[in-house]
């Protein structure tokens, strides 16, 4: 019986210690978060419903509302999770790792459920801004071209009142060699992008990082279309143009180079355009991989033209498992096609601000001290 009592006592003591540590951690993190949100109030008002923490090194906020000042829309997020390497990072952030002269071993920010109303100011402003940029480039568009973005009326016709977005971004230092893996996931409905890249010659040690240029070891990108959304969008645009689906997709692939440059950042050749056609027709998946024969010094990229990139990166592309042989791409300088005054307004962001219906904000002189209560 004495042994049983002893074991029970140890269990109770361990439970109390665990509970105390978790409560302390929770309170420390909540205090830090509230202080941070308080300092942000001159720019944005952020509230949350609850906070949960894990002693392995993660903290999650749920029921988040974000109301940027001078912007007529409130954004709702279901959950936002920060995952660090350990409990020390969770409590002290970068302070202790910086004192040790190193980066955290890994870090990840995971956002689940950003709700964007299709009749909201953000999406409608992006839609109108794309139209304005297209006009500057003299691109004729009916809203269904490569450089177009659906507006509220388009989404409403397709039956979408809201878009639900998820994203995850983070990094992890490699164990077997001096390097780092960067990851980025993004999804809207069932449409998703998964990106990973490994860089060599990257050390956790801050002193080693100075003056050393990382080299690219590999890239992997998986892009999957949302079958239902793709089917609806293709049928909608085909009907809008008075053609069948295949004819519309053929027209889309024949869009001017300026449209591709604006939407993709490069101009795909015939092989990639055909692959995109097949992907839209089948709502499939595209896999892009790059693994240079030797890790590539990133400073050398500027020495090569866009057309040389596929060979330089040893690029491979497949669509639904079928290899794309022609990976030719090119580039255009769009600035040469825009009036200088209009280009400056675009670069300064005035075009975007005008679409929001707001004036450029004046610099904030001092922060107000308004406490936030949860």
């Amino acid at each position: 019986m004495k042994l049983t009592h002893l074991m029970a006592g140890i269990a109770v003591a361990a439970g109390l210690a665990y509970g105390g540590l978790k409560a302390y951690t929770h309170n420390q993190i909540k205090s830090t978060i509230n202080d941070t949100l308080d300092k942000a109030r001159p720019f944005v008002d952020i509230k949350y419903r609850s906070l949960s923490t894990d002693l392995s090194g993660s903290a999650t906020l749920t029921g988040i509302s974000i109301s940027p000042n001078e912007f007529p829309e409130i954004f709702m997020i279901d959950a936002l999770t920060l995952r660090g390497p350990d409990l020390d990072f969770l409590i002290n952030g970068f302070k202790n790792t910086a004192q040790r002269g190193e980066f955290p071993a890994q870090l990840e920010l995971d956002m689940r459920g950003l709700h964007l109303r299709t009749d909201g100011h953000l999406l409608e402003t992006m839609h109108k801004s794309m139209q304005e940029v297209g006009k500057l480039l003299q691109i004729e568009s009916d809203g269904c071209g490569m450089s177009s973005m659906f507006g509220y009326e388009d989404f409403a016709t397709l039956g979408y009142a809201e878009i639900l977005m998820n994203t995850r971004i983070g990094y992890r230092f490699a164990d077997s060699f001096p390097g780092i893996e960067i990851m980025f996931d993004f999804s809207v409905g069932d449409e998703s992008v998964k990106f990973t890249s490994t860089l060599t010659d990257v050390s956790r040690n801050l002193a080693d990082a100075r003056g050393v240029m990382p080299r690219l070891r590999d890239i992997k990108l998986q892009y999957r279309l949302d079958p239902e959304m793709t089917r609806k969008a293709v049928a909608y645009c085909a009907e809008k143009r008075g053609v069948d689906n295949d004819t519309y997709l053929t027209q889309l692939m024949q869009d001017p180079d300026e449209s591709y440059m604006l939407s993709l950042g490069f101009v795909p050749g015939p092989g990639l355009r055909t692959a995109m056609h097949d992907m839209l027709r089948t709502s499939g998946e595209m896999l892009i991989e790059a693994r240079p024969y030797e890790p590539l010094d990133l400073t050398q990229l500027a020495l090569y033209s866009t057309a040389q990139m596929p060979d330089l990166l040893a690029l491979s592309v497949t669509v639904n498992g079928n290899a794309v042989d022609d990976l030719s791409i090119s580039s255009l300088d769009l600035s040469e096609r825009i009036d200088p005054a209009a280009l400056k307004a675009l670069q300064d962001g005035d075009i975007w601000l005008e679409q929001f219906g707001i004036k450029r904000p004046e610099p904030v002189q001092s922060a107000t001290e308004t406490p936030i209560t949860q």
Side-chain angles (χ1 to χ4, degrees):
M1 292 296 294
K2 290 183 178 180
L3 179 59
T4 304
H5 292 160
L6 177 60
M7 293 178 65
I10 293 175
V12 170
L16 290 174
Y18 176 85
L21 179 59
K22 187 168 178 61
Y24 170 77
T25 301
H26 184 91
N27 290 333
Q28 287 288 103
I29 294 171
K30 184 169 185 177
S31 176
T32 299
I33 290 174
N34 288 343
D35 287 345
T36 302
L37 299 187
D38 187 32
K39 293 175 182 177
R41 284 182 68 84
F43 313 100
V44 60
D45 184 19
I46 303 176
K47 295 183 174 64
Y48 62 93
R49 184 177 63 248
S50 65
L51 165 70
S52 62
T53 56
D54 190 298
L55 295 183
S56 63
S58 69
T60 299
L61 295 176
T62 59
I64 304 167
S65 68
I66 302 175
S67 179
N69 294 354
E70 305 295 334
F71 188 78
E73 190 167 0
I74 297 176
F75 302 98
M76 308 300 296
I77 301 176
D78 292 338
L80 186 66
T81 300
L82 176 66
R83 298 185 181 93
D86 49 36
L87 179 60
D88 174 72
F89 179 84
L90 200 60
I91 296 175
N92 299 299
F94 292 96
K95 182 175 66 175
N96 285 355
T97 57
Q99 289 177 348
R100 294 195 298 267
E102 62 184 19
F103 294 102
Q106 60 189 51
L107 198 59
E108 182 180 305
L109 184 65
D110 191 353
M111 182 188 72
R112 301 285 110 184
L114 169 60
H115 297 257
L116 295 174
R117 290 196 57 82
T118 56
D119 61 351
H121 286 272
L122 179 62
L123 289 182
E124 191 62 12
T125 296
M126 293 173 65
H127 164 65
K128 291 180 179 178
S129 297
M130 287 292 287
Q131 289 180 320
E132 291 298 316
V133 175
K135 290 178 183 177
L136 293 177
L137 292 168
Q138 300 180 348
I139 298 174
E140 295 184 7
S141 175
D142 57 359
C144 285
M146 279 301 302
S147 59
S148 303
M149 175 180 172
F150 280 170
Y152 165 64
E153 293 182 359
D154 304 305
F155 283 117
T157 302
L158 294 175
Y160 292 92
E162 181 182 76
I163 289 178
L164 198 62
M165 183 183 300
N166 303 312
T167 186
R168 180 180 70 104
I169 185 169
Y171 71 83
R172 181 183 65 83
F173 280 95
D175 297 325
S176 56
F177 65 95
I180 188 172
E181 182 182 76
I182 301 169
M183 76 270 313
F184 173 73
D185 297 346
F186 176 83
S187 68
V188 177
D190 288 334
E191 181 177 359
S192 65
V193 175
K194 294 185 177 181
F195 171 89
T196 59
S197 178
T198 305
L199 303 176
T200 64
D201 301 330
V202 181
S203 172
R204 283 189 62 192
N205 190 300
L206 290 171
D208 293 342
R210 297 189 183 96
V212 178
M213 177 55 62
R215 293 187 298 160
L216 177 66
R217 182 181 182 183
D218 57 56
I219 295 174
K220 182 176 182 180
L221 187 147
Q222 294 173 281
Y223 176 48
R224 179 185 295 275
L225 287 171
D226 182 329
E228 181 181 7
M229 177 61 179
T230 303
R231 177 182 57 79
K232 287 183 176 181
V234 170
Y236 168 70
C237 284
E239 182 179 358
K240 194 173 183 179
R241 293 187 178 184
V243 298
D244 60 40
N245 290 2
D246 281 339
T247 300
Y248 162 68
L249 290 177
T250 299
Q251 293 174 350
L252 185 64
M253 295 305 106
Q254 294 171 348
D255 265 15
D257 291 348
E258 290 83 357
S259 292
Y260 278 97
M261 192 69 196
L262 182 59
S263 61
L264 301 178
F266 63 91
V267 180
L272 287 173
R273 293 199 190 199
T274 300
M276 292 167 63
H277 177 283
D278 294 342
M279 190 173 177
L280 287 168
R281 184 171 53 82
T282 61
S283 302
E285 179 181 278
M286 178 178 288
L287 175 62
I288 301 173
E289 294 183 287
R291 192 176 183 91
Y293 301 106
E294 295 289 339
L296 181 63
D297 185 340
L298 296 179
T299 60
Q300 295 180 0
L301 291 179
L303 303 177
Y304 296 85
S305 67
T306 301
Q308 294 173 308
M309 288 300 168
D311 288 336
L312 179 67
L313 297 173
L315 198 66
S316 67
V317 179
T318 61
V319 173
N320 298 330
N322 299 316
V324 179
D325 296 325
D326 177 11
L327 299 179
S328 59
I329 60 176
S330 59
S331 180
L332 291 175
D333 185 356
L334 296 180
S335 65
E336 297 178 351
R337 292 163 168 77
I338 300 179
D339 177 75
L343 176 61
K344 185 177 187 307
L346 178 63
Q347 292 172 334
D348 292 344
D350 291 339
I351 274 185
W352 297 81
L353 294 177
E354 288 173 7
Q355 295 299 329
F356 285 120
I358 60 178
K359 296 180 180 180
R360 182 178 292 279
E362 297 294 332
V364 176
Q365 300 299 321
S366 60
T368 57
E369 295 294 334
T370 304
I372 294 179
T373 58
Q374 305 298 337

